[in-house]
Amino acid sequence: MAQCVQSVQELIPDSFVPCVAALCSEEAERLTRLNHLSFAELLKPFSRLTSEVHMRDPNNQLHIIKNLKIAVSNIITQPPQPGAIRKLLNDVVSGSQPAEGLVANVITAGDYDLNISATTPWFESYRETFLQSMPASDHEFLNHYLACMLVASSSEAEPVEQFSKLSQEQHQIQHNSDYSYPKWFIPNTLKYYVLLHDVSSGDEQRAESIYEEMKQKYGTQGCYLLKINSRTSNRASDEQIPDPWSQYLQKNSIQNQESYEDGPGTITSNKNSDNNLLSLDGLDNEVKDGLPNNFRAHPLQLDSSSDPSNSIDGPDHVKSTSLLHETKKANTGIIHGACLTLTDHDRIRQFIQEFTFRGLLPHIEKTIRQLNDQLISRKGLSRSLFSATKKWFSGSKVPEKGINELKNTSGLLYPPEAPELQIRKMADLCFLVQHYDLAYSCYHTAKKDFLNDQAMLYAAGALEMAAVSAFLHPGAPRPYPAHYMDTAIQTYRDICKNMVLAERCVLLSAEILKSQSKYSEAAALLIRLTSENTWKGMDSDLRSALLLEQAAHCFINMKSPMVRKYAFHMILAGHRFSKAGQKKHALRCYCQAMQVYKGKGWSLAEDHINFTIGRQSYTLRQLDNAVSAFRHILINESKQSAAQQGSFLREYLYVYKNVSQLSPDGPLPQLPLPYINSSATRVFFGHDRRPADGEKQAATHISLDQEYDYESSQQWRELEEQVVALVNKGVIPSNFHPTQYCLNSYSDNSRFPLAVVEEPITVEMAFRNPLKVPLLLTDLSLLWKFQPKDFSGKNNEVKELVISKPEMIGAEVISEFLINSEESKVARLKLFPHHIGELHILGVVYNLGTIQGSTTIDGIGALPGCHAGNHCLSMTVRGRQDLEIQGPRLNNTKEEKTSIKYGPDRRLDPIITEEMPLLEVFFIHFPTGLLCGEIRKAYVEFVNVSKCPLTGLKVVSKRPEFFTFGGNTAVLTPLSPSASENCSAYKTVVTDSTSVCAALTSSASSVDFGIGTGSQPEVIPVPLPDTVLLPGASVQLPMWLRGPDEEGVHEINFLFYYESVKRQPKIRHRILRHTAVVCTSRSLNVRATACRSNSLEDEEGRGGNMLVFVDVENVNTSEAGVKEFHIVQVSSSSKHWKLQKSVNLSENKDAKLASREKGKFCFKAVRCKEKEAATQSSEKYTFADIIFGNEQIISSASPCADFFYRSLSFELKKPPAQPSVQTEKQSVEDAVRLIQKCSEVDLNIVVLWKAYVVEDSKQLILEGQHHVILRAIGKEAFSYPQKQEPPEMELLKFFRPENTTVSSRPSVEQLSNLIKASLHYPESFNHPFHQKSLCLVPVTLLLSNCSKADVDVIVDLRHKTTSPEALEIHGSFTWLGQTQYKLQLKSEEIHTLQLKACFVHTGVYNLGTPRVFAKLSDQDTVFETSQQNSMPALIIINNV
């Protein structure tokens, strides 16, 4: 149980006090009424004695009584009605609520921290009122009247005569059989005569003389002169006298005879009083039925209109609501005791002391003695009961019968003078004066008698009081006999069917158990009385609610608190409070219990509690609480059924509607549904992308439909940095930030984003509906505030904030947005800024509702006003939700790493800047599939859709080799797509068929094609006419595309960069992105090798010619429908070399390759003439074309040269090997470089082809080109990228290698190309062997130094080989003469040696046996030149 203000040792004595009746004359009543009090009420605050009182027990032992209190009340002749008592108790409980600023106890139990009100004043008020309002009954005497005060006024004509009248009245009430109520303790009741004297208006002399007369007649012990009203009530009070009455009168106690405020008590008009005062105790001063005074009706009498059983009627008992309200008003503004001074207070206190000391206690003492003597004589007991007490407390226990053996009846009734009742009477008297040990022994004796007689009601009463006496006995050696109480409760409840007495037992016993910390037993006791069916009706609900709440407090106050039991019983108590109509208490109980269930995963219990809290709060008009409770039901991940959720939602909407109607102009409320995932909010700046229009395809740019990809965003950033660096002379400005058109949770949102005026801002929000019922949002739009500003710096004044002015910012409204059950869905809302300034997007505003007929209401009834199904289901409320996005966690400084700090996220706070140009790009005839190397011509349309001119248009791409806009030579290209449909993409010239296989040369500079050496090949300026695109203007430019060399799907990113003609302070440039996806399929593989020609028959005679072998293979799989490839032209491009002619033997000019066929071409290449090569510093390349068809494609023009240069620059981008910087090795390095240069060639081969494709029974001709870059002699080069073989795994070596410097020796291959040796001899030689057996043939050995350095050469003619295969090939011949020559060749010098070969018979001989060794003059290493690449030098010796 909760803590109480009084301890149980104070509570029980205060609940059972001696009762004294008061009977006043009309005049006396009038005097007290001047203070707005009845006589009994006047004494109420002073009824407790301030000092200890002494009396003697039957054994003449002195007995001390502490804190004695007496109860004085007006005589009432009607017993109180149960209905009225119920109403009173109900009002007492509802009138007592927790104090506003009450500090709750915090109880920590396990992982619960509970705020619990430590006290329950409503329970204490209920208990006090309940105990005071118990009707007097025959089986006990505790609340029977012991004495009667007869009160008359000194101002009456014949006061003594008045006293006689009053005395007769009292006698008639007590002894006349017509009056069964009130009850009197003993026949000869103590009468105490009180003379009231009004000091302010009465005659003091007369009062004194009357008092003297009274003392003569009634004795000094039996009368008293009480002086009151020392001041007049209408005089303005100088001093503020305290009002001790208010606290008693507000408690609506039944014994102070005043009407309770709201109740159905009888309020009557006092017709006799002049000022028509309301008689507050509901009593009439008329004489009726021979009773001259005002004790006809009990104040708890229900009026006749509401209770037909009420026997009293008459004109006075008319209750009207207006009268009731007047009473309420009258009661509230009344000052009690207005005519009394503090001296009067002391006089009243003194009067009570005198009455108790001189009158009441001696009377009680005498009565106890009489009863004791009577019992001893009547029962023939030789000893007084007092000695029996000692025996009892020393422990001889009499065995009792169990309750179950007793007959199921409340048993017989005793006549008033029965000896058993005299024992009970004596016990009650002893109990009232706190003589507990004597009381106990009497109760115990009486209990045995009653049980023997089967008088169950009496027995239960004796058991109950015996238990209480045993507990209260100060020196009791025995424990509290709880089983007495249990037996009493069971008897009252089950046998006597008297719930009021059972309840009193429970209240007392629970208090006692609680004081002994037996919380578990107390809780069990309290719960026993709360079952629904024990006692039907509202009082049962109220009682059960209060007891369940106390039981809950018992559970929480245990040594180890039982938190869940506490919560469960609080819920039960809340339910019963609700049934009893105590809404506030019900709400409080549910809220207390909620602390336990909250957040523990008991979602259904939580929903139930929240729902009830919502309902109760709504009924109590605590609308905000109701809204928040319903809100909780909706936002928790509910496990309820769809119907239930629909019901909750409608209830919520209904309550919300009422809240919003209270303050229609207030701020919009925050709605709980649907959920918004704020961090998933995306903001897009700019117009939506236009859809493809026929052949026109708009640039993909950026849209909200694209998923974020970190890698691609990095690529775009790099591209933008490249072009910005180029525009800013190679340096990226410090204030550069990559352009972000779409902001999301991955983008960098730490700066305020920039938006352009008149360009829409789209905000995408992710909604989620957690419920199983659909939600319908209507009139959905963004909530924003805007601050107009001028960023140009002319005027820096900041205008006021604009919250919603459509001329500043236009907002899109979505009229209906449906989110199905448990669905996640995004909504995109646009804003249209019409003014520059700072915009802040705050959230969304919408009407929340649900669909009609989507769900049916289940068991839970709808709230009032929610009956009409359609109306209810289509109910909507307007509200808002804010978008609050948490920025990224900071993790840079030490402080940030150690604490949790978040940076700003400004994606919803764009700055609106001045107008900027806006470019749209369209691609016309843009292919999606190409063959590798295929050239296709498309057109690009650039449109300026803004009101500003744009300039500085550039495009940047990581794959510049994929496209070209044509060089400066592209004058002849058709300007519009329609005119060029059947043209070749190449620039061609018809050739004369006589020029067979000879090369046609031309030259071009890479500068013409925008590929200067210094610039970045990725950034390509777009050749706009006049370099400016005016507002609204559009221009179409041709664009050639070449399919990438690898097959597969290629994503090629284009980034278009442009600027405004007028410089803007905030935005320097804008970009537009396009991603082209091209799928390439295999076409041709080209591989080429260059090798030195051994012949020297060129013009210069310097040996500067090579053979170039080109292999072309058709690797196309016929899926693409390609029938065959025609090689139409092979061109070369180089600064030093050119193709001279084709040395293919076949006469077939047309080189066709069907699927999987391979063709081999051989060309002769020569060095360019000096005058051609001289201009190489100007990046001039010589182009030579060898034509296999009848049209020459001019390879030095667009687009052939463009793609050639692009592939070249792509190759050149590969990082060169870093030269080392060691000085002592420098000479070796130089030598090696010289040697390497010998074998270098920079000859580039371009193979141009046509493919015949059958598609939809139409034949198309595709054309394309492949490039092969020859770097070195003898090394095979490919047109397609070679797959790198992964290196084989090596075992790890766990030792430290010696620090050897890598020897920079040239490779064998490179050395072998240092010296070129060729033999000149006749192909066949005729010799008459029969004439001369030795045949001598002159042979010239030509040695050519290919390097720029001096070379020492050794020629060795001796046959070295010993292997038989070599002998077979060489045949047997010998060189005659010197077998070894040593010579030095200067740079690029050619030297001839005349040799003689000697043959002995005919045959075919290989003369290629001389071994040539060479070394650089300043080096030591000697090496052999390789002749592997040259043909075998075969000679035929014939015999003639």
Side-chain angles (χ1 to χ4, degrees):
M1 292 170 84
Q3 296 166 14
C4 294
V5 180
Q6 287 182 306
S7 72
V8 65
Q9 279 82 3
E10 297 166 328
L11 166 77
I12 297 178
D14 275 6
S15 304
F16 301 101
V17 293
C19 294
V20 178
L23 198 54
C24 303
S25 70
E26 258 180 63
E27 184 60 24
E29 194 68 35
R30 187 185 68 75
L31 287 186
T32 58
R33 279 283 166 219
L34 293 173
N35 293 296
H36 300 293
L37 296 164
S38 70
F39 180 73
E41 288 167 358
L42 182 73
L43 306 183
K44 191 96 183 169
F46 311 102
S47 59
R48 188 185 292 280
L49 300 188
T50 49
S51 58
E52 288 182 352
V53 195
H54 299 180
M55 64 173 278
R56 293 199 175 268
D57 62 24
N59 283 8
N60 221 17
Q61 300 288 317
L62 192 66
H63 171 62
I64 299 170
I65 308 169
K66 294 178 181 173
N67 276 331
L68 181 65
K69 181 179 162 189
I70 62 170
V72 181
S73 56
N74 292 351
I75 291 182
I76 307 291
T77 57
Q78 289 286 334
Q81 291 195 340
I85 294 176
R86 280 207 293 274
K87 177 80 177 74
L88 173 66
L89 291 173
N90 220 11
D91 292 346
V92 165
V93 173
S94 61
S96 174
Q97 297 292 339
E100 278 303 314
L102 186 74
V103 180
N105 267 18
V106 176
I107 290 185
T108 304
D111 51 353
Y112 296 95
D113 286 328
L114 307 178
N115 278 345
I116 291 170
S117 55
T119 58
T120 48
W122 47 92
F123 171 70
E124 289 172 57
S125 304
Y126 170 86
R127 186 177 59 196
E128 184 183 334
T129 309
F130 170 80
L131 291 171
Q132 284 178 3
S133 66
M134 287 203 67
S137 71
D138 290 328
H139 81 289
E140 62 181 17
F141 304 93
L142 291 161
N143 52 1
H144 291 196
Y145 286 131
L146 274 163
C148 181
M149 290 180 183
L150 304 173
V151 188
S153 165
S154 63
S155 58
E156 298 193 41
E158 293 291 338
V160 181
E161 196 180 312
Q162 187 66 44
F163 278 126
S164 305
K165 265 191 198 170
L166 291 173
S167 184
Q168 285 166 15
E169 247 177 71
Q170 189 275 330
H171 189 271
Q172 189 183 357
I173 292 170
Q174 183 171 354
H175 299 292
N176 190 333
S177 58
D178 295 348
Y179 293 97
S180 62
Y181 202 85
K183 307 281 185 190
W184 302 86
F185 209 100
I186 46 174
N188 55 341
T189 303
L190 167 71
K191 292 180 184 170
Y192 195 78
Y193 300 88
V194 182
L195 183 66
L196 267 189
H197 173 63
D198 189 323
V199 177
S200 58
S201 62
D203 178 353
E204 189 136 351
Q205 297 278 194
R206 181 166 184 259
E208 291 289 351
S209 69
I210 295 167
Y211 181 49
E212 285 304 320
E213 195 183 329
M214 286 166 63
K215 283 201 275 190
Q216 297 295 321
K217 187 172 182 182
Y218 306 119
T220 49
Q221 310 286 331
C223 57
Y224 194 84
L225 170 62
L226 176 58
K227 299 179 181 178
I228 58 166
N229 295 3
S230 297
R231 59 176 183 172
T232 51
S233 60
N234 54 6
R235 193 182 70 213
S237 110
D238 308 327
E239 50 174 337
Q240 190 66 44
I241 301 287
D243 176 4
W245 292 273
S246 54
Q247 55 174 328
Y248 292 101
L249 299 185
Q250 279 170 359
K251 281 191 177 171
N252 297 336
S253 160
I254 194 156
Q255 280 154 341
N256 62 5
Q257 311 310 334
E258 60 112 20
S259 72
Y260 44 91
E261 223 188 305
D262 279 345
T266 316
I267 293 164
T268 58
S269 169
N270 185 342
K271 295 173 189 160
N272 302 348
S273 62
D274 319 324
N275 54 0
N276 199 16
L277 262 176
L278 287 169
S279 71
L280 290 183
D281 53 355
L283 304 174
D284 202 327
N285 294 350
E286 279 184 82
V287 179
K288 192 167 185 180
D289 296 337
L291 285 175
N293 211 306
N294 46 9
F295 38 73
R296 283 181 300 103
H298 193 278
L300 292 183
Q301 191 77 25
L302 286 162
D303 69 84
S304 50
S305 58
S306 65
D307 189 351
S309 67
N310 192 342
S311 60
I312 293 182
D313 53 11
D316 312 331
H317 290 265
V318 176
K319 172 186 160 220
S320 74
T321 47
S322 61
L323 192 59
L324 192 63
H325 288 303
E326 278 168 37
T327 315
K328 283 187 183 177
K329 284 182 201 148
N331 274 356
T332 49
I334 284 172
I335 301 169
H336 301 291
C339 304
L340 303 175
T341 60
L342 288 174
T343 318
D344 291 335
H345 290 195
D346 290 340
R347 284 174 184 150
I348 298 169
R349 202 173 281 118
Q350 185 62 40
F351 158 64
I352 293 287
Q353 297 270 81
E354 284 292 314
F355 164 69
T356 314
F357 284 27
R358 302 271 179 91
L360 185 62
L361 284 177
H363 175 67
I364 292 174
E365 196 175 316
K366 190 175 82 181
T367 310
I368 291 177
R369 281 177 190 279
Q370 283 174 357
L371 287 168
N372 192 37
D373 298 345
Q374 219 177 334
L375 290 169
I376 290 168
S377 62
R378 192 173 291 174
K379 286 264 184 173
L381 299 171
S382 59
R383 62 194 190 287
S384 81
L385 283 161
F386 194 58
S387 56
T389 316
K390 294 195 179 79
K391 187 178 175 191
W392 162 251
F393 276 114
S394 62
S396 68
K397 185 170 187 282
V398 181
E400 286 175 44
K401 293 183 183 174
I403 185 77
N404 297 329
E405 298 168 31
L406 304 170
K407 289 186 199 156
N408 188 8
T409 165
S410 32
L412 72 156
L413 296 171
Y414 293 101
E417 48 299 330
E420 291 84 358
L421 285 192
Q422 304 314 308
I423 303 181
R424 170 74 206 223
K425 232 176 231 182
M426 182 175 165
D428 284 351
L429 262 182
C430 295
F431 189 86
L432 290 173
V433 292
Q434 303 174 12
H435 201 321
Y436 296 120
D437 45 359
L438 185 51
Y440 178 83
S441 66
C442 293
Y443 284 132
H444 196 257
T445 310
K447 173 204 68 157
K448 287 191 287 188
D449 292 346
F450 293 144
L451 282 174
N452 290 335
D453 297 341
Q454 297 283 296
M456 297 317 298
L457 181 62
Y458 295 90
L463 279 164
E464 173 188 7
M465 296 317 291
V468 176
S469 306
F471 171 72
L472 288 174
H473 178 51
R478 281 193 157 272
Y480 163 63
H483 58 287
Y484 278 21
M485 272 298 195
D486 294 347
T487 310
I489 294 169
Q490 203 171 340
T491 310
Y492 281 144
R493 193 182 66 183
D494 301 341
I495 298 175
C496 308
K497 303 281 185 256
N498 189 330
M499 288 305 286
V500 178
L501 292 169
E503 185 176 351
R504 183 180 70 185
C505 270
V506 166
L507 292 175
L508 295 176
S509 186
E511 240 353 286
I512 292 170
L513 289 167
K514 185 186 89 174
S515 72
Q516 299 176 335
S517 298
K518 294 181 178 171
Y519 289 109
S520 179
E521 291 88 333
L525 192 64
L526 291 161
I527 294 167
R528 265 171 74 183
L529 218 63
T530 58
S531 62
E532 300 247 1
N533 50 10
T534 330
W535 203 21
K536 296 276 186 249
M538 199 173 177
D539 52 342
S540 148
D541 285 321
L542 180 63
R543 183 187 66 239
S544 300
L546 289 159
L547 297 185
L548 282 165
E549 185 181 11
Q550 293 307 310
H553 279 283
C554 287
F555 288 124
I556 202 73
N557 284 321
M558 287 180 168
K559 205 177 210 170
S560 50
M562 301 172 82
V563 182
R564 291 203 292 274
K565 265 202 152 101
Y566 160 79
F568 181 64
H569 285 85
M570 271 311 224
I571 296 284
L572 294 176
H575 173 64
R576 295 303 282 273
F577 269 132
S578 179
K579 282 176 75 178
Q582 298 278 354
K583 301 291 180 199
K584 282 185 181 171
H585 286 297
L587 179 58
R588 181 181 49 72
C589 288
Y590 275 102
C591 292
Q592 297 260 307
M594 187 58 178
Q595 300 177 83
V596 175
Y597 289 105
K598 199 173 187 176
K600 291 282 186 293
W602 298 43
S603 65
L604 295 176
E606 249 185 284
D607 287 351
H608 169 76
I609 298 170
N610 271 317
F611 184 74
T612 313
I613 289 175
R615 274 277 174 96
Q616 300 286 15
S617 303
Y618 178 77
T619 329
L620 293 167
R621 307 308 291 162
Q622 298 177 8
L623 296 180
D624 291 342
N625 289 357
V627 164
S628 90
F630 282 123
R631 181 190 176 94
H632 275 295
I633 305 182
L634 296 176
I635 61 176
N636 283 347
E637 293 292 333
S638 174
K639 296 188 172 65
Q640 302 282 4
S641 66
Q644 193 76 41
Q645 287 182 0
S647 162
F648 287 160
L649 178 60
R650 285 190 299 280
E651 199 102 5
Y652 170 77
L653 294 177
Y654 177 76
V655 173
Y656 226 121
K657 195 94 173 162
N658 286 358
V659 175
S660 53
Q661 279 165 359
L662 290 180
S663 53
D665 304 328
L668 278 175
Q670 293 279 349
L671 293 174
L673 292 173
Y675 292 176
I676 295 181
N677 181 358
S678 291
S679 63
T681 304
R682 299 195 295 165
V683 185
F684 176 70
F685 301 100
H687 296 279
D688 291 344
R689 182 175 166 244
R690 285 201 207 167
D693 173 21
E695 286 291 309
K696 269 193 189 184
Q697 178 197 349
T700 54
H701 196 42
I702 304 158
S703 78
L704 286 168
D705 299 325
Q706 298 165 0
E707 287 297 313
Y708 176 82
D709 175 23
Y710 176 75
E711 282 180 21
S712 77
S713 69
Q714 285 302 102
Q715 288 171 11
W716 288 115
R717 181 188 174 132
E718 285 165 23
L719 290 175
E720 189 176 354
E721 282 174 356
Q722 272 184 315
V723 65
V724 169
L726 183 79
V727 171
N728 289 285
K729 305 188 175 55
V731 183
I732 295 179
S734 57
N735 60 351
F736 164 75
H737 299 296
T739 312
Q740 299 188 116
Y741 284 112
C742 182
L743 300 178
N744 51 31
S745 50
Y746 305 106
S747 53
D748 175 10
N749 304 325
S750 55
R751 290 178 307 281
F752 294 104
L754 300 175
V756 177
V757 71
E758 303 298 345
E759 290 187 17
I761 298 169
T762 310
V763 179
E764 179 188 271
M765 280 158 305
F767 288 112
R768 182 168 74 82
N769 176 6
L771 302 183
K772 299 186 178 82
V773 285
L775 295 176
L776 181 65
L777 311 186
T778 51
D779 297 342
L780 175 66
S781 64
L782 288 170
L783 202 61
W784 49 268
K785 68 177 182 187
F786 180 68
Q787 215 167 357
K789 275 194 179 174
D790 188 359
F791 298 112
S792 58
K794 281 171 229 153
N795 58 341
N796 286 329
E797 55 144 353
V798 175
K799 299 184 186 133
E800 80 293 345
L801 284 179
V802 182
I803 293 297
S804 51
K805 275 197 182 173
E807 63 272 15
M808 288 283 185
I809 307 280
E812 177 192 19
V813 178
I814 297 179
S815 59
E816 283 199 353
F817 186 74
L818 177 69
I819 312 174
N820 284 319
S821 58
E822 299 181 332
E823 179 188 24
S824 296
K825 193 171 180 182
V826 294
R828 291 181 187 165
L829 289 160
K830 286 197 175 74
L831 290 177
F832 303 93
H834 304 310
H835 197 285
I836 60 172
E838 291 176 4
L839 176 64
H840 302 280
I841 298 165
L842 307 173
V844 269
V845 56
Y846 55 93
N847 297 327
L848 172 65
T850 177
I851 305 179
Q852 290 194 4
S854 59
T855 52
T856 54
I857 299 177
D858 71 340
I860 295 178
L863 275 172
C866 206
H867 301 303
N870 287 358
H871 163 73
C872 180
L873 289 170
S874 55
M875 182 183 296
T876 59
V877 291
R878 186 127 186 104
R880 64 186 277 180
Q881 275 203 65
D882 292 342
L883 286 171
E884 288 166 359
I885 304 175
Q886 189 180 56
R889 183 166 171 191
L890 301 173
N891 202 20
N892 301 325
T893 63
K894 184 181 178 188
E895 186 195 350
E896 286 168 359
K897 284 175 181 167
T898 50
S899 60
I900 296 180
K901 285 189 177 177
Y902 292 92
D905 190 301
R906 300 209 166 101
R907 68 183 101 157
L908 296 173
D909 305 317
I911 292 173
I912 314 295
T913 64
E914 293 169 41
E915 283 196 301
M916 281 292 288
L918 185 62
L919 176 71
E920 284 196 358
V921 178
F922 297 96
F923 295 89
I924 305 165
H925 297 304
F926 198 89
T928 51
L930 290 172
L931 293 172
C932 293
E934 182 188 342
I935 305 278
R936 201 59 90 76
K937 187 175 188 179
Y939 282 82
V940 191
E941 184 174 17
F942 297 98
V943 188
N944 182 356
V945 293
S946 67
K947 295 178 181 166
C948 308
L950 67 85
T951 184
L953 180 57
K954 295 178 176 52
V955 60
V956 56
S957 173
K958 280 265 183 284
R959 304 284 296 268
E961 71 278 8
F962 172 66
F963 67 99
T964 176
F965 288 106
N968 307 345
T969 59
V971 224
L972 299 174
T973 54
L975 279 179
S976 73
S978 53
S980 71
E981 257 175 39
N982 300 315
C983 299
S984 163
Y986 289 114
K987 181 178 172 187
T988 56
V989 177
V990 178
T991 54
D992 179 18
S993 56
T994 52
S995 57
V996 178
C997 295
L1000 303 164
T1001 60
S1002 56
S1003 68
S1005 162
S1006 64
V1007 184
D1008 296 339
F1009 294 93
I1011 309 280
T1013 44
S1015 87
Q1016 288 182 312
E1018 287 94 344
V1019 182
I1020 299 159
V1022 176
L1024 287 178
D1026 308 329
T1027 70
V1028 172
L1029 195 56
L1030 294 172
S1034 74
V1035 64
Q1036 282 189 352
L1037 295 177
M1039 181 191 217
W1040 286 270
L1041 308 168
R1042 175 174 181 271
D1045 286 318
E1046 309 99 274
E1047 66 166 331
V1049 178
H1050 301 269
E1051 276 196 9
I1052 292 152
N1053 293 338
F1054 298 91
L1055 183 129
F1056 295 94
Y1057 164 101
Y1058 56 100
E1059 298 168 5
S1060 175
V1061 174
K1062 179 179 145 201
R1063 289 301 287 274
Q1064 298 289 11
K1066 291 271 182 194
I1067 306 182
R1068 301 275 176 195
H1069 68 271
R1070 300 192 85 178
I1071 60 168
L1072 175 72
R1073 301 177 182 179
H1074 176 62
T1075 302
V1077 179
V1078 174
C1079 182
T1080 54
S1081 44
R1082 292 192 284 184
S1083 55
L1084 299 177
N1085 270 359
V1086 182
R1087 49 174 79 192
T1089 338
C1091 52
R1092 288 237 163 81
S1093 156
N1094 285 344
S1095 61
L1096 292 170
E1097 52 203 54
D1098 59 338
E1099 304 89 299
E1100 299 91 4
R1102 303 188 78 210
N1105 49 6
M1106 281 189 304
L1107 290 178
V1108 177
F1109 296 95
V1110 179
D1111 291 2
V1112 184
E1113 184 185 0
N1114 175 358
V1115 289
N1116 178 264
T1117 48
S1118 52
E1119 296 130 30
V1122 181
K1123 279 202 304 191
E1124 55 188 6
F1125 286 91
H1126 288 222
I1127 308 300
V1128 289
Q1129 180 173 320
V1130 177
S1131 303
S1132 71
S1133 160
S1134 169
K1135 293 179 188 174
H1136 310 296
W1137 296 84
K1138 61 181 181 184
L1139 291 182
Q1140 192 186 35
K1141 61 178 181 184
S1142 162
V1143 291
N1144 267 32
L1145 299 173
S1146 107
E1147 284 301 309
N1148 181 4
K1149 268 179 73 178
D1150 204 1
K1152 293 183 190 173
L1153 292 174
S1155 181
R1156 291 291 175 191
E1157 282 188 347
K1158 193 189 256 189
K1160 203 175 182 79
F1161 298 85
C1162 180
F1163 302 98
K1164 180 174 175 186
V1166 294
R1167 280 188 185 276
C1168 298
K1169 296 190 172 63
E1170 277 303 325
K1171 62 175 186 294
E1172 289 172 3
T1175 56
Q1176 67 177 351
S1177 58
S1178 68
E1179 295 290 324
K1180 278 275 187 195
Y1181 280 75
T1182 303
F1183 287 84
D1185 303 338
I1186 292 177
I1187 306 149
F1188 293 102
N1190 51 5
E1191 262 186 335
Q1192 178 197 357
I1193 294 170
I1194 298 171
S1195 56
S1196 58
S1198 282
C1200 180
D1202 296 75
F1203 288 117
F1204 158 67
Y1205 280 125
R1206 275 167 171 64
S1207 70
L1208 196 63
S1209 68
F1210 187 63
E1211 281 292 318
L1212 295 174
K1213 258 198 324 188
K1214 292 178 181 167
Q1218 291 294 315
S1220 60
V1221 213
Q1222 296 161 330
T1223 42
E1224 71 274 10
K1225 298 263 171 134
Q1226 201 62 50
S1227 57
V1228 183
E1229 293 287 320
D1230 293 344
V1232 169
R1233 216 163 291 127
L1234 279 169
I1235 293 171
Q1236 282 172 354
K1237 282 199 80 161
C1238 304
S1239 57
E1240 275 178 17
V1241 208
D1242 60 338
L1243 176 62
N1244 307 297
I1245 305 292
V1246 182
V1247 176
L1248 296 110
W1249 48 265
K1250 283 186 179 174
Y1252 291 88
V1253 179
V1254 178
E1255 201 175 83
D1256 303 335
S1257 70
K1258 274 200 316 194
Q1259 177 161 311
L1260 300 176
I1261 301 177
L1262 307 178
E1263 45 198 353
Q1265 64 189 59
H1266 280 76
H1267 312 123
V1268 184
I1269 296 173
L1270 286 168
R1271 299 258 183 218
I1273 289 181
K1275 197 167 181 191
E1276 199 168 20
F1278 302 91
S1279 67
Y1280 49 94
Q1282 292 304 101
K1283 285 196 179 71
Q1284 292 277 318
E1285 284 298 319
E1288 285 186 17
M1289 287 176 72
E1290 289 183 13
L1291 290 173
L1292 282 174
K1293 297 189 174 71
F1294 289 100
F1295 58 83
R1296 202 169 179 184
E1298 281 75 42
N1299 194 4
T1300 53
T1301 51
V1302 182
S1303 71
S1304 49
R1305 279 200 54 179
S1307 71
V1308 178
E1309 215 176 332
Q1310 291 164 340
L1311 292 172
S1312 67
N1313 291 329
L1314 198 54
I1315 296 290
K1316 180 173 158 187
S1318 61
L1319 293 162
H1320 283 237
Y1321 56 90
E1323 273 186 30
S1324 64
F1325 192 81
N1326 297 337
H1327 177 72
F1329 279 100
H1330 55 277
Q1331 293 174 8
K1332 199 175 182 184
S1333 60
L1334 288 181
C1335 167
L1336 301 180
V1337 180
V1339 177
T1340 309
L1341 174 61
L1342 205 69
L1343 294 172
S1344 158
N1345 179 359
C1346 298
S1347 73
K1348 298 262 200 266
D1350 295 356
V1351 179
D1352 292 348
V1353 182
I1354 299 172
V1355 180
D1356 191 355
L1357 299 180
R1358 287 174 295 182
H1359 290 304
K1360 189 186 174 193
T1361 33
T1362 49
S1363 66
E1365 298 94 355
L1367 280 174
E1368 280 174 27
I1369 299 167
H1370 296 143
S1372 47
F1373 77 95
T1374 23
W1375 296 101
L1376 300 182
Q1378 197 173 334
T1379 57
Q1380 205 175 43
Y1381 297 86
K1382 282 191 182 176
L1383 14 132
Q1384 188 175 41
L1385 296 180
K1386 298 274 181 268
S1387 163
E1388 296 196 338
E1389 183 190 340
I1390 298 173
H1391 189 280
T1392 49
L1393 279 179
Q1394 299 298 335
L1395 307 175
K1396 277 202 174 70
C1398 172
F1399 304 90
V1400 290
H1401 46 71
T1402 58
V1404 179
Y1405 297 90
N1406 180 6
L1407 295 177
T1409 60
R1411 293 166 72 204
V1412 180
F1413 298 92
K1415 74 177 180 67
L1416 295 174
S1417 301
D1418 50 0
Q1419 295 284 313
D1420 305 333
T1421 332
V1422 179
F1423 45 84
E1424 188 174 355
T1425 65
S1426 148
Q1427 297 295 326
Q1428 294 156 358
N1429 293 353
S1430 55
M1431 303 276 190
L1434 299 179
I1435 187 168
I1436 304 167
I1437 304 294
N1438 297 322
N1439 185 14
V1440 250

